[in-house]
Amino acid sequence: MIFRFLTSGESHGKCLNAVIDGVPAGVNIEKEYINSELERRQIGYGRGGRMKIEKDSVEILSGVRHGKSTGAPICIEIKNKDWENWNITMNSEAVEDTEENLKLIESKKIINVRPGHADYAGALKYNQKDVRNILERSSARETAARVAVGAIAKSILKEFKIEGMSYVEQIGEIKTTITKDPFEIKEQIESNDLRTTDKKSYEEMKKEIDRVKETGDTVGGCFKVIYKNVPVGLGSHVQWDKKIDGLIAQAVMSIQAVKSVEIGIGKTAAETLGSKTHDEIFIENNRYVRKTNNAGGIESGITNGENIVITAAMKAIPTMKKALNSIALDKREEVQAHFERSDTCAVSACAVTAEAMVAIIIADAMMEKFSHDSLDEMKNNYKNYINMIEKR
Ligand code: EPS
């Protein structure tokens, strides 16, 4: 990968960070734009009390000068406002062992693992007595850093008019279907706090979240991510690790609580005959056109110029008031799983994170194909390539 990044930070730690390497010199990197993306992730009917505390905002610490990338690694930081309530429990240094401090730290210790979370396997793998040491990093709070990184990837894509969007397609069993080009209703999607497509679905989904919340349960759902104006020829058929569908699937599946990722018609392909699966090619006004996009813009691991269409499913969050049967680690006792403040539903936030992850994969593939030292060089190479393929 050329566009590489790592994140660090705990859910109730001081901050989240990311170091991003490979961004070409000369890209406009605007703090306001990154913050607007962070805000999109924070909105969401069904989110818990934490979102009322946080107002995510990024600090750019390196790699950007007067609003433009220099080609050097970019370091970003997002402060956790909730840190002020956790600075004793989560401090990186030893805290004074007063009775009050010890009592507080003990009260935040977790041994009752939550089925479905990283708690059990993580505590065993890292040999941790306090499951908080696993919970803090496995928390989806980390996705704020990914969205900030995704905003930087999107800033590169903007230069090539590549545009993405996402929407919530399903909450629990409530589904929405759209017949229109989703880009045409982008504003409508962005203007409701579930990021879904129409008023009727919105009201039904909201009702479902309220109902689930009342019972102390949680609910998941499905979302779509779509990118348009992606050129033909990103990714490759020649090696397994160059196939862009595989890279996208890994990137989206890596988001906390995502359980499936489909491209194009996805698993429906199993029951669809070849004649109805593959997108036929025609010539209209001297251009190659397709009337369907069942492939979701990718054939044999290479983008084919159609919209990239991804559907992913997010499971219901495993932190539940209606606690599940579980065990207390090291005590070998059956107990009720741990509960602390959490979200009832975070599908709309997950969709924004997935949009960011896909932007990262597409930006990386663009840089691999068109070089990445400077934006100017990248643009020249892009132009030459487009001229070349337009003659075919
Ligand atoms: C999360 C639990 C909740 C969420 C959090 C993810 O946090 P808390 O335990 O502090 O209430 O709100 O999500 C975020 C903080 C965020 O920014 O998305 C979890 O356990 O994954």
Side-chain angles (χ1 to χ4, degrees):
M1 278 197 102
I2 292 159
F3 189 111
R4 295 181 300 156
F5 75 100
L6 289 175
T7 69
S8 79
E10 282 79 31
S11 183
H12 305 99
K14 213 175 213 170
C15 58
L16 299 164
N17 308 83
V19 176
I20 308 129
D21 189 51
V23 176
V27 179
N28 285 324
I29 308 286
E30 290 162 11
K31 195 174 149 167
E32 293 71 31
Y33 173 62
I34 302 175
N35 286 343
S36 68
E37 288 292 286
L38 289 174
E39 196 180 334
R40 289 177 70 224
R41 194 200 68 94
Q42 287 202 272
I43 298 166
Y45 194 80
R47 302 299 307 274
R50 180 75 184 270
M51 287 304 104
K52 293 189 183 79
I53 298 172
E54 305 294 343
K55 170 101 180 73
D56 290 336
S57 155
V58 75
E59 198 64 49
I60 302 171
L61 301 175
S62 65
V64 179
R65 214 174 144 217
H66 305 147
K68 283 207 191 286
S69 58
T70 63
I74 297 175
C75 182
I76 56 146
E77 181 176 291
I78 302 164
K79 287 201 164 61
N80 285 331
K81 288 222 169 79
D82 209 16
W83 166 246
E84 57 189 61
N85 302 316
W86 288 82
N87 64 3
I88 301 287
T89 311
M90 291 300 295
N91 210 298
S92 60
E93 288 173 40
V95 291
E96 228 188 305
D97 55 359
T98 59
E99 199 183 321
E100 197 186 354
N101 284 352
L102 293 176
K103 221 164 115 191
L104 177 64
I105 294 167
E106 187 57 30
S107 73
K108 299 289 184 197
K109 186 178 173 185
I110 301 165
I111 56 167
N112 296 4
V113 302
R114 292 162 300 170
H117 220 286
D119 301 356
Y120 173 76
L124 295 184
K125 178 177 168 67
Y126 289 93
N127 195 27
Q128 292 300 305
K129 299 268 182 247
D130 185 351
V131 175
R132 179 159 301 285
N133 287 342
I134 304 304
L135 170 160
E136 286 289 334
R137 180 63 188 157
S138 60
S139 161
R141 173 80 191 134
E142 186 256 354
T143 59
R146 298 202 207 191
V147 168
V149 176
I152 292 174
K154 282 183 176 184
S155 305
I156 302 169
L157 298 183
K158 257 191 223 166
E159 298 287 344
F160 301 89
K161 303 202 164 30
I162 299 173
E163 187 187 336
M165 66 167 295
S166 62
Y167 65 87
V168 170
E169 197 175 48
Q170 186 175 340
I171 296 289
E173 288 179 2
I174 315 286
K175 291 181 192 163
T176 174
T177 44
I178 51 169
T179 43
K180 277 188 191 154
D181 173 355
F183 282 95
E184 275 179 31
I185 56 164
K186 199 172 168 180
E187 246 177 67
Q188 196 175 318
I189 291 163
E190 293 299 321
S191 68
N192 72 79
D193 60 2
L194 267 176
R195 314 194 57 261
T196 194
T197 54
D198 59 281
K199 208 166 161 27
K200 185 171 169 280
S201 311
Y202 175 73
E203 294 301 337
E204 286 176 12
M205 287 174 177
K206 231 173 108 175
K207 226 195 266 168
E208 176 63 1
I209 294 170
D210 290 342
R211 188 189 67 77
V212 166
K213 189 177 178 184
E214 241 166 67
T215 62
D217 218 321
T218 53
V219 65
C222 279
F223 57 85
K224 273 210 158 50
V225 176
I226 307 160
Y227 271 84
K228 68 175 182 186
N229 296 334
V230 179
V232 180
L234 303 185
S236 173
H237 62 291
V238 303
Q239 287 292 356
W240 68 271
D241 60 350
K242 292 193 166 186
K243 289 178 181 264
I244 200 163
D245 43 2
L247 296 168
I248 288 172
Q250 197 277 329
V252 177
M253 186 67 96
S254 76
I255 302 167
Q256 291 80 343
V258 168
K259 297 305 281 180
S260 81
V261 184
E262 299 178 53
I263 314 254
I265 58 170
K267 73 175 192 301
T268 318
E271 69 212 35
T272 312
L273 295 180
S275 55
K276 296 269 180 286
T277 298
H278 305 295
D279 306 303
E280 292 181 294
I281 313 176
F282 305 91
I283 300 177
E284 276 178 13
N285 302 325
N286 206 26
R287 298 191 76 86
Y288 300 139
V289 295
R290 311 230 193 185
K291 297 182 179 166
T292 54
N293 183 21
N294 294 337
I298 301 170
E299 287 168 307
S300 199
I302 318 174
T303 57
N304 65 8
E306 303 298 313
N307 286 359
I308 308 256
V309 184
I310 299 137
T311 312
M314 183 195 195
K315 70 180 179 185
I317 289 165
T319 310
M320 287 185 281
K321 257 196 196 135
K322 185 163 117 185
L324 296 175
N325 294 324
S326 184
I327 51 104
L329 268 183
D330 301 323
K331 283 195 175 164
R332 289 203 156 260
E333 265 172 26
E334 284 188 349
V335 292
Q336 300 286 285
H338 168 76
F339 173 75
E340 65 183 38
R341 179 191 63 193
S342 188
D343 309 316
T344 306
C345 179
V347 180
S348 50
C350 192
V352 174
T353 308
E355 212 184 290
M357 291 308 290
V358 177
I360 290 164
I361 299 300
I362 299 174
D364 178 65
M366 287 288 288
M367 292 194 283
E368 189 184 357
K369 181 134 187 68
F370 304 116
S371 153
H372 62 103
D373 288 336
S374 74
L375 182 63
D376 290 339
E377 186 183 4
M378 200 176 162
K379 278 190 167 172
N380 283 336
N381 292 338
Y382 173 83
K383 229 184 276 164
N384 282 340
Y385 173 74
I386 298 295
N387 282 340
M388 183 183 85
I389 61 172
E390 271 178 356
K391 298 192 183 92
R392 302 290 307 276

